[in-house]
Amino acid sequence: QVQLVESGGGLVHAGGSLRLSCAASGDIFSIYGMAWYRQAPGKQRELVAHIPGAGSTNYGDSKKGRFTISRDNAKNTVYLQMDRLRPEDTAVYYCHMIVQRNTGSLREDYWGQGTQVTVSS
C-alpha cells in the first residue's frame, strides 16, 4: 500500500505564510502527477496546484503568484508554499498523487488525510 502524510497546516493571520508538506511512503515504483486540493466548509473540493512528473505546473484561480508548488522526487514529497494568505484560503488542504507501485502495474490515485489551514482576519 501507499500512504500520504501531510504536515504544516495551522492558524495564521492574514498576510502570513505557511508551507505544507506531503510525503508518500510504501510500495512506490514511480510517482507521476502531484497536486494539492482544498475544501472549505459547504464548498466543493477544488484544485489549488498541480505539478506533473515532467512539464510545467499549473494553479487554480487566485492562487498563482501567491502559492508555489514544488516536489522532491528523492523524498517522494510535494510541497505547497502559501504566501500572502487571505481568510478565504481557510480550508482543509489535501495532497494527491498518481502512483505506480510496480513495473507494469496500473497507476493509482492516492489522497492524504487532509490538514487544516485557518487564516484569521
Side-chain angles (χ1 to χ4, degrees):
Q1 270 292 355
V2 175
Q3 298 81 37
L4 305 187
V5 179
E6 298 151 351
S7 60
L11 173 65
V12 65
H13 291 298
S17 298
L18 282 175
R19 188 189 193 212
L20 306 182
S21 300
C22 175
S25 62
D27 298 328
I28 298 171
F29 172 72
S30 185
I31 302 178
Y32 296 89
M34 297 180 175
W36 289 94
Y37 288 76
R38 71 184 186 187
Q39 187 166 19
K43 295 188 177 181
Q44 289 187 329
R45 190 172 296 191
E46 63 172 349
L47 175 70
V48 176
H50 173 263
I51 183 167
S56 58
T57 58
N58 63 84
Y59 296 87
D61 292 342
S62 82
K63 287 80 170 179
K64 192 171 184 179
R66 298 191 301 123
F67 292 4
T68 304
I69 189 170
S70 61
R71 61 190 286 168
D72 184 334
N73 291 328
K75 296 181 179 179
N76 292 332
T77 299
V78 62
Y79 304 96
L80 184 68
Q81 176 67 40
M82 304 185 291
D83 299 316
R84 302 192 302 281
L85 283 161
R86 306 167 180 170
E88 53 265 39
D89 294 317
T90 295
V92 178
Y93 285 69
Y94 299 90
C95 65
H96 171 263
M97 297 187 186
I98 300 175
V99 178
Q100 185 178 14
R101 295 170 60 187
N102 296 292
T103 304
S105 65
L106 297 175
R107 301 177 187 184
E108 300 170 289
D109 291 273
Y110 290 91
W111 290 88
Q113 79 285 358
T115 185
Q116 177 70 46
V117 171
T118 302
V119 184
S120 63
S121 57

